[in-house]
Amino acid sequence: MSGYRRAAVALHGVSPKDRAYILDALPGSDQTALLACLAELDELGFAKDPASLEEALAGAPPAPAVAGLGPTERLARATSAQMFALLEDEPGVLVAQVLGVQRWVWGEPCLALFPAARQEKIRAALAAPVAAPARAAFLVTALAARLDRAAQGSGTAGSGTRAASGLRALRERFGARPESMRNT
């Protein structure tokens, strides 16, 4: 199952408000592809039950790693949910160093998945000088390897079961967020 289709299955099971919030955080090309996949799921009559979402994703083979790409290119193609799953349990300074390596497409959406207090700490750490080139290269290479292992299902990208499913972490984060944002 392609990455867009897996993401569409995940988005299909969340409320329309949550779905709109998530889609708004994505680049236009990703939004277009996901909306097409969501429309296809609606046409086929797929249920929007979160339990069936986990069941459908559990049986799907992981998306293949993109062969022939270097670590930076592999990270550049990652989603914010994948990167959040890799980085959520890491120290804020390390997260800031990863975000400071380059302007990642997933950077801001990934940062938005962290709790507000943690976001502030990470943003403060981003003001520090960028990591030395050798350290930045090490971080990118290590994260690309973790991303590949997570995509193949043979490794973990953080802590326990939440790391095994970046989509589950995304759903947990966004499931509570709109309720807390209503009064803001």
Side-chain angles (χ1 to χ4, degrees), residues 43-64:
E43 285 178 24
L44 294 172
F46 278 83
K48 293 186 178 186
D49 176 30
S52 60
L53 160 70
E54 288 299 325
E55 186 178 302
L57 290 175

Side-chain angles (χ1 to χ4, degrees), residues 50-117:
S52 60
L53 160 70
E54 288 299 325
E55 186 178 302
L57 290 175
V66 182
L69 295 179
T72 303
E73 292 83 13
R74 291 197 313 271
L75 283 187
R77 291 177 179 231
T79 66
S80 57
Q82 288 172 318
M83 294 310 297
F84 177 75
L86 292 176
L87 296 170
E88 76 173 311
D89 293 327
E90 298 296 341
V93 172
L94 184 97
V95 174
Q97 288 177 359
V98 170
L99 292 173
V101 168
Q102 74 178 41
R103 189 163 178 80
W104 304 104
V105 171
W106 48 260
E108 279 299 318
C110 177
L111 188 56
L113 295 173
F114 286 96

Side-chain angles (χ1 to χ4, degrees), residues 2-169:
S2 78
Y4 285 120
R5 289 204 168 145
R6 289 177 66 90
V9 170
L11 286 174
H12 193 68
V14 299
S15 73
K17 187 174 183 174
D18 291 348
R19 184 182 312 153
Y21 180 82
I22 293 168
L23 286 170
D24 286 344
L26 297 174
S29 60
D30 290 338
Q31 287 180 13
T32 303
L34 284 172
L35 287 171
C37 291
L38 286 167
E40 181 181 0
L41 290 173
D42 285 337
E43 285 178 24
L44 294 172
F46 278 83
K48 293 186 178 186
D49 176 30
S52 60
L53 160 70
E54 288 299 325
E55 186 178 302
L57 290 175
V66 182
L69 295 179
T72 303
E73 292 83 13
R74 291 197 313 271
L75 283 187
R77 291 177 179 231
T79 66
S80 57
Q82 288 172 318
M83 294 310 297
F84 177 75
L86 292 176
L87 296 170
E88 76 173 311
D89 293 327
E90 298 296 341
V93 172
L94 184 97
V95 174
Q97 288 177 359
V98 170
L99 292 173
V101 168
Q102 74 178 41
R103 189 163 178 80
W104 304 104
V105 171
W106 48 260
E108 279 299 318
C110 177
L111 188 56
L113 295 173
F114 286 96
R118 185 117 190 263
Q119 282 182 42
E120 289 178 31
K121 290 178 183 176
I122 293 169
R123 287 185 194 284
L126 274 168
V130 177
R135 181 176 176 91
F138 172 79
L139 288 172
V140 167
T141 301
L143 280 172
R146 285 176 65 191
L147 183 65
D148 291 345
R149 283 192 306 270
Q152 294 169 358
S154 64
T156 58
S159 64
T161 58
R162 207 171 7 166
S165 172
L167 296 171
R168 186 177 306 125

